[in-house]
Amino acid sequence: AALRILYRYGILLVTNTPTDDGGEGVAALAASVSGGSNKKDCVDTSLLGWYQQQQKQGGKEQTEGRPVTVLRDGTDGPLRTMFGNVWSTHSSDMAAGASIADSAYGNGALPLHTDMTYFRDPPGLQIFTMVSPAAEGGKSIFADGFAAAERLRIADPTSFNVLCTTVRRYRSIDDATGWHLEARGPVISAVNRKNKEHLWGPVTAIRHNDLDRLPDLPPPPSCGTFDTTWKKEQEEFYEKLQIAHSKWDEILGSDEFRLVMDLQPGDTVLVANQRCLHGRTSFSTFEGSRRAVMGCYVSQDELDSRFRRAGFQLH
């Protein structure tokens, strides 16, 4: 049922997730939608199998007093990133050496975006668990990027084409932990139907984060020389891109495409990261309070594998 909902809508709400187990429950949830689909008797390789066994035994096996969020020979579970296996948006909960070079560690509003745009292949699934809501504000915002892209295709085909063909660059640098990640790709990826009346087929992925995006560079001159013709091409490139980006932002800002949720402790949202965008409103905390979200990622390859095993068609 969970995979069917994720395939159809790109988002799933789970309630009553443990928030005091160091992330073991969140990691097990990631394992339930990653790795192989057959997890029977796989307690040594399946984090989900191990977690379920622990729950049945009523005990809690730990390694050197630390929560178990990954198995040594594991074949499922969270995707390892610069933020670790399971991360928290409150820096005091992060392991030493894990990166906190991300705007999520502030208390300002975050515009709608997809995560890890600076990865060649961004995660397929992001899992958020609310541990401690803000005293004021901090509501979560989600949007279906596929639906927004289809609206753009209908409303402004030229802008849709611009966002499908313009390769944009993204970067994340963390000097404290020694990371320098860069990747590139269009905001909208769609099936390219060459020599067809309608060039673009179904949308397959969204890559959008203005906070990590580098300045856009125009294509090389079509005539091979940097003359007045190329200057005109540059001007047209930036003008079309600005129009397309404004149209895209206008659609994303529409209440028609935005789902606002006031998540409570134990509420978990699974988000298809290459489809749905997420953000939040700004928030305030008082003395002795904090806003903390715990989560992890699942790779797109593993999510696609589970979709195929469940009989769902992928483009």
Side-chain angles (χ1 to χ4, degrees), residues 4 17 61 66 127 153 198 207 224 236 250 253 278 295:
R4 183 173 66 251
T17 308
E61 179 184 326
R66 298 174 60 187
I127 301 176
R153 188 204 301 258
H198 301 288
R207 185 193 295 257
E236 291 177 350
E250 180 181 339
H278 64 277

Side-chain angles (χ1 to χ4, degrees), residues 267-308:
D267 286 348
T268 297
V269 182
L270 288 75
V271 182
N273 182 60
Q274 292 193 27
R275 171 178 175 173
C276 292
L277 303 95
H278 64 277
R280 72 166 186 231
T281 62
S282 61
F283 64 91
S284 301
T285 56
F286 304 134
E287 185 176 353
S289 69
R290 64 175 186 169
R291 182 185 190 273
V293 177
M294 178 171 56
C296 60
Y297 299 98
V298 170
S299 77
Q300 185 67 53
D301 283 332
E302 292 186 60
L303 182 62
D304 285 349
S305 173
R306 295 299 300 275
F307 281 153
R308 294 188 188 100

